[in-house]
Amino acid sequence: MYSARTRKLLAAATLASGLLAGMSVDRTVVTMPAWSQIGALGWAAFSRHADLGNGLFLYPAEAILAALLVCGSAASLTIESNGWARMASQLYCAVALTLGALLITVKAAPLMLGIQYLNDPVSLQRAFEGFYFWGNLRAACHVLAFIVELGALSKLSSGALSSLKPASNRFETLE
């Protein structure tokens, strides 16, 4: 049986991952295609105020929090695991995807940080294309991690509910 700690950690990790996945899908499907039509100069001007403004604190904090929560839920599950290796492997997959997204940020972040004082249109276009590419990979990791965590949370919740059922039907007729 899982502890309340594991359930709470996984629920919080799933929530944080869901927020990251939602933001990533919005950026990948809506925002970046629009910026590709407007151009790299417009993207850079906007990003200097958004990504390098409040986003400079919000995005890393949210990604690090999600990583800590999913790692914590995997560690908690591993500590209390009694034959639930399948669930643990799901969480290990979520950990790998979440940490993979953080590693991809190592490629994407310098591109974003580099536009602060960059005004050359060719260099801005390269930065835009690179950020778009790495952002799509990062988005895929966020979305897949959320899906895996949601599945694990569903299994964990159904396991918690099944433990409330009686072991046998008391009203069965004796043979």
Side-chain angles (χ1 to χ4, degrees):
M1 190 68 238
Y2 302 113
S3 68
R5 177 191 64 220
T6 298
R7 287 192 300 273
K8 288 176 183 177
L9 281 169
L10 183 54
T14 304
L15 176 63
S17 291
L19 291 172
L20 280 171
M23 288 186 336
S24 296
V25 167
D26 176 67
R27 185 172 284 218
T28 299
V29 176
V30 177
T31 308
M32 292 303 280
W35 283 121
S36 69
Q37 297 297 313
I38 294 170
L41 291 173
W43 166 76
F46 173 82
S47 295
R48 287 179 187 124
H49 295 283
D51 295 275
L52 298 176
N54 291 340
L56 194 59
F57 303 101
L58 175 66
Y59 299 147
E62 190 173 26
I64 291 167
L65 177 64
L68 290 173
L69 288 168
V70 74
C71 288
S73 63
S76 180
L77 181 68
T78 300
I79 290 167
E80 63 192 34
S81 181
N82 292 327
W84 290 88
R86 186 170 183 208
M87 176 79 72
S89 66
Q90 276 186 281
L91 285 181
Y92 297 151
C93 178
V95 167
L97 289 164
T98 303
L99 294 179
L102 286 176
L103 285 175
I104 291 168
T105 301
V106 171
K107 295 297 274 186
L111 295 168
M112 179 57 69
L113 295 170
I115 68 166
Q116 181 67 33
Y117 302 107
L118 195 60
N119 291 315
D120 173 42
V122 174
S123 298
L124 285 173
Q125 183 63 38
R126 271 196 297 262
F128 173 80
E129 290 169 1
F131 190 77
Y132 196 177
F133 172 79
W134 292 110
N136 286 344
L137 290 177
R138 184 173 48 194
C141 287
H142 286 311
V143 169
L144 290 172
F146 173 64
I147 291 169
V148 170
E149 289 171 33
L150 198 57
L153 183 62
S154 174
K155 285 181 182 176
L156 187 136
S157 296
S158 67
L161 292 176
S162 69
S163 69
L164 299 177
K165 295 178 186 173
S168 65
N169 187 348
R170 294 180 195 176
F171 300 107
E172 287 180 7
T173 56
L174 297 172
E175 295 182 41

